[in-house]
């Protein structure tokens, strides 16, 4: 694992690049920990047969996990913090349909379990429920959603329980799972969105839905969805814009009728030659959406401006250009950003690429301290 420092600060954006991390392999996922038992700002990346956990404050790799057989390809990850126990775990999964959970307190493998299917189906997305940290949703290439109950390590060594398998009736690949309100999960398929609501008490799952969402595409598939403060940004492959919708009230949950999201506006983007470029939204109430492209640029949008711009298409507030650093000639290579993620306080952004590079960005106010 190589570490490169970027000392160029000639162009002072709101975010500046701090560090490059080279993890040797195409990187498909990244996500910050929602909380921690220490002062660390932890984020994880996954790709190939490995997963790495870094501390953004020190840029150190504090844990690395590898598939023992070196045959898996990890695509998805999700964190869960059990406040009552002080436990922090990370779930990862990928091409083999096997889910691993890592204990970040002991920095060791916690549990391994596999989705029950006769034919192995890739898991492209994972999501721990924010309100119930024991609920883990796994979206598979088969179009099914597996809902697991995972106990915290301090509770004991109880095996994860498979509570339900959701099969909406289509076999499209599930691209992402997004929590849009308490217990309401939005599943993004190739050409449509589905929504369901889940509550769990002592392994008893109360499930409503899934129901359809009035957003469909015909030719291009939905490759990314992000929810920021009642705005839902939906990115489809091959388009030069990102559609923005507003959400209707979801309490009570419309258990039998489709949910109609209202189109609001579009965000100007650049048509990319690659697919599956995933967005993320800020977590601190600042309402910023970030999206990478296939030239190494991160597009930042201030969603607060949407209500002020009226029907005018919203242009990005800033472009974070891929930095030039001695020792990395990345712009002459494939520099597609697969995913970006914000830290919980939105002071850091991580972007990961297909050319095995992780770039850590920090808000310029941190650089002045």
């Amino acid at each position: 694992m190589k570490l490169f420092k970027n000392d160029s600060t000639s162009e002072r954006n709101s975010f500046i690049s701090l560090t490059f991390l080279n993890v040797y392999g195409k990187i498909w996922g990244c996500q910050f920990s929602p909380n921690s038992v220490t002062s660390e700002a932890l984020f994880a990346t996954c790709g190939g047969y490995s997963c790495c956990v870094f501390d953004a404050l020190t840029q150190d790799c504090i844990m690395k996990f590898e598939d023992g057989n070196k045959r898996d390809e990890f695509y998805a990850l999700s964190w869960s913090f059990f406040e009552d126990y002080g436990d922090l775990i990370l779930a990862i999964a990928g091409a083999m349909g096997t889910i691993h959970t890592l204990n970040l307190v002991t920095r060791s493998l916690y549990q391994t379990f596999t989705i029950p299917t006769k034919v192995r189906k890739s898991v492209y997305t994972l999501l721990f429920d924010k309100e119930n940290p024991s609920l883990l949703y796994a979206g598979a290439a088969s179009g099914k959603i597996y809902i697991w109950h995972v106990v915290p390590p301090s509770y004991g060594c109880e095996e994860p329980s498979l509570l339900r398998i959701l099969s909406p009736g289509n076999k499209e690949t599930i691209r992402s799972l997004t929590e849009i309100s308490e217990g309401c999960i939005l599943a993004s398929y190739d050409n449509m969105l589905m929504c369901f609501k889940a509550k769990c008490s002592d392994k008893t799952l109360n499930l409503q839905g899934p129901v359809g969402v009035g957003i469909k595409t015909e030719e291009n598939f939905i490759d990314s969805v992000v929810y920021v403060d009642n705005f839902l940004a939906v990115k489809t492959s091959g388009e030069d814009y990102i559609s923005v919708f507003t959400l209707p009230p979801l309490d009570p949950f419309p258990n039998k009728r489709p949910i109609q999201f209202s189109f609001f506006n579009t965000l100007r983007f650049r048509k990319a030659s690659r697919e599956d470029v995933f967005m993320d939204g800020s977590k601190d109430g600042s309402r910023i959406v970030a999206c990478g492209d296939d030239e190494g640029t991160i597009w930042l949008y201030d969603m607060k401006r949407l209500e002020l711009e009226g029907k005018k298409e919203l242009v990005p507030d800033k472009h974070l250009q891929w930095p030039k650093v001695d020792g990395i000639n990345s712009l002459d290579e494939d520099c597609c950003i697969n995913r970006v993620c914000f830290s919980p306080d939105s002071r850091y952004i991580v972007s990961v690429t297909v050319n095995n590079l992780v770039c850590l960005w920090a808000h310029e106010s941190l650089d002045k301290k």
Side-chain angles (χ1 to χ4, degrees), residues 221-272:
F221 65 80
I222 300 170
D223 64 1
S224 183
V225 173
V226 64
Y227 174 72
V228 178
D229 196 16
N230 204 48
F231 285 122
L232 185 73
V234 179
K235 179 181 172 296
T236 53
S237 62
E239 301 290 355
D240 59 359
Y241 61 87
I242 299 168
S243 300
V244 179
F245 300 83
T246 56
L247 276 63
L250 296 176
D251 189 17
F253 187 81
N255 199 31
K256 295 183 179 180
R257 66 182 187 275
I259 302 174
Q260 297 299 323
F261 288 10
S262 300
F263 174 79
F264 193 82
N265 208 333
T266 58
L267 312 178
R268 184 178 300 173
F269 192 60
R270 187 185 61 78
K271 184 179 294 188

Side-chain angles (χ1 to χ4, degrees), residues 147-168:
I147 305 177
W148 299 83
H149 184 273
V150 180
V151 299
S154 297
Y155 185 82
C157 298
E158 184 178 335
E159 291 295 319
S161 302
L162 181 60
L163 302 182
R164 191 73 60 87
I165 302 176
L166 290 183
S167 183

Side-chain angles (χ1 to χ4, degrees), residues 14 37 83 130 165 181-182 240 335 365:
S14 295
V37 294
E83 188 173 1
K130 294 178 182 177
I165 302 176
S181 66
E182 183 176 342
D240 59 359
C335 198
S365 61

Side-chain angles (χ1 to χ4, degrees), residues 297-314:
T297 301
I298 299 176
W299 300 54
L300 296 178
Y301 305 89
D302 184 355
M303 302 295 277
K304 293 179 180 178
R305 291 177 47 224
L306 276 175
E307 297 171 342
L308 303 175
E309 296 289 337
K311 297 300 181 180
K312 184 179 179 181
E313 184 180 50
L314 188 68

Side-chain angles (χ1 to χ4, degrees), residues 3-44:
L3 182 68
F4 302 90
K5 292 292 184 181
N6 178 20
D7 297 322
S8 174
T9 57
S10 57
E11 295 185 5
R12 304 288 295 183
N13 292 314
S14 295
F15 287 87
I16 60 171
S17 60
L18 288 183
T19 304
F20 280 99
L21 304 165
N22 189 327
V23 296
Y24 304 110
K26 291 184 178 181
I27 313 166
W28 302 113
C30 63
Q31 191 178 103
F32 272 89
S33 162
N35 208 332
S36 180
V37 294
T38 70
S39 59
E40 299 164 321
L42 302 182
F43 68 91

